[in-house]
Amino acid sequence: MNLWVLHKRPSGMVEPYELMRLREEARALDIRFEAVALEEIDLIVSRGGRRSIRRCGAEVELPDVLLPRTGSGTDYFSLAILRQLEHLGVAVVNPSSAIEAVKDKLYAHQILAQSNLPIPRTMLVRFPVDPHLVAQQIGFPCVIKLLVGSYGDGVVLSRDPASFRDLMELVSGLDRSQSLILQQYIGTRPGKDLRVWVIGSQVIGAMLRSSTDGSFKANISRGGDGQAFPLNPELERLARDSAAALNLDIAGVDLLFDRDGYSICEVNSAPGFQGFETATGLNVARLVLEHCRSKLQLSPPKLACVF
């Protein structure tokens, strides 16, 4: 199997952990592995079929499987590449439509709500924001999020109407065209949440993430602590159903502890797994690659000419 992992070129010299691990396990599985930066790709829309993708300016053999690792950083150019490769018969894991949906946090929650899955009460707002309406519909404290973001960036907790009003004045002074989503604060276990990994409709494990600095955000990338968490039927069902509703083959599902069980905080299409592998002892990289190989066996034949 020829596998491309599509990623954004890292700002530093050190290869991201996930790429390093995928490369390592691909070698053990005898998979031809190439880490392909978005910046290396040119796309030509023509009748040239599989010659419509250039890498570093040259025609190249296209992969059997593409594993996108762009996540919330997926932009229009990234999606265009994924769509072209899908049309050319390359098995793309996850599909472009799922990545596009998950990138938009509001749209993802709309899909989850339509599937009758438990989510925090969510509200889309634009300026000027009416604090009284927020108090009635969401309540305080409330969580303020940008529509796109990852690793806990662009997420703020507003504890009361006064601090909310001050924050809205600041944001509106910077960019009044910005749309935000507000969410009900689930504070049953402050500073703690669960990251659950789903691969091919199977829940492979869960990790309890705990803030170590008093923040309500427990992301490992922000210094949070990770520990293996035992699976249970409700947790597994919610994680599986969330991934299925969003059409994700590979998903990182973040669950909040609610009084009645769990509430779905977020779903990620390209979750990091350094902390997860350390906490659980699971070989996530190998499981991802094995799933990619299984998708190749189910994918339709490659097309000789599409455009």
Side-chain angles (χ1 to χ4, degrees), residues 171-185:
V171 175
S172 67
L174 297 172
D175 183 6
R176 289 184 66 86
S177 66
Q178 179 72 260
S179 291
L180 304 170
I181 58 173
L182 310 180
Q183 285 189 323
Q184 169 193 9
Y185 174 57

Side-chain angles (χ1 to χ4, degrees), residues 29 51 59-60 63 84 88 90 107 113 145 180 208 230 293:
L29 293 170
R51 294 174 296 171
E59 289 185 16
V60 291
Q84 182 104 337
L88 295 174
V90 174
Y107 184 43
K145 293 183 178 182
L180 304 170
L208 173 66
R293 188 151 57 186

Side-chain angles (χ1 to χ4, degrees), residues 79-130:
L79 289 170
I81 293 171
L82 300 185
R83 292 179 187 127
Q84 182 104 337
L85 288 168
E86 286 169 339
H87 283 302
L88 295 174
V90 174
V92 178
V93 184
N94 291 299
S96 60
S97 57
I99 294 173
E100 185 176 21
V102 171
K103 177 187 172 184
D104 184 332
K105 294 180 182 179
L106 179 68
Y107 184 43
H109 276 78
Q110 288 174 319
I111 294 172
L112 295 171
Q114 187 177 23
S115 300
N116 200 32
L117 293 168
I119 61 169
R121 191 172 177 84
T122 302
M123 178 180 181
L124 175 68
V125 296
R126 62 183 184 276
F127 296 98
V129 182
D130 182 354

Side-chain angles (χ1 to χ4, degrees), residues 141-212:
C142 75
V143 179
I144 304 168
K145 293 183 178 182
L146 298 178
L147 290 176
V148 177
S150 60
Y151 303 111
D153 294 336
V155 181
V156 177
L157 179 65
S158 179
R159 298 190 178 277
D160 52 56
S163 64
F164 178 81
R165 190 176 296 108
D166 289 342
L167 181 59
M168 290 300 100
E169 288 178 0
L170 173 63
V171 175
S172 67
L174 297 172
D175 183 6
R176 289 184 66 86
S177 66
Q178 179 72 260
S179 291
L180 304 170
I181 58 173
L182 310 180
Q183 285 189 323
Q184 169 193 9
Y185 174 57
I186 308 295
T188 304
R189 295 180 65 175
K192 295 183 184 296
D193 68 11
L194 295 174
R195 162 61 59 84
V196 187
W197 259 79
V198 181
I199 301 179
S201 76
Q202 298 296 315
V203 176
I204 66 166
M207 174 177 66
L208 173 66
R209 304 189 299 188
S210 304
S211 168
T212 56

Side-chain angles (χ1 to χ4, degrees), residues 2 38 43 45 50-51 74 92 96 112 124 149 151 172 174 241 248 254-255 260 269 285 296:
N2 181 12
L38 282 168
L43 185 154
V45 179
R50 294 178 66 79
R51 294 174 296 171
T74 302
V92 178
S96 60
L112 295 171
L124 175 68
Y151 303 111
S172 67
L174 297 172
D241 289 353
L248 291 170
D254 295 342
L255 300 178
D260 300 324
S269 65
L296 173 61

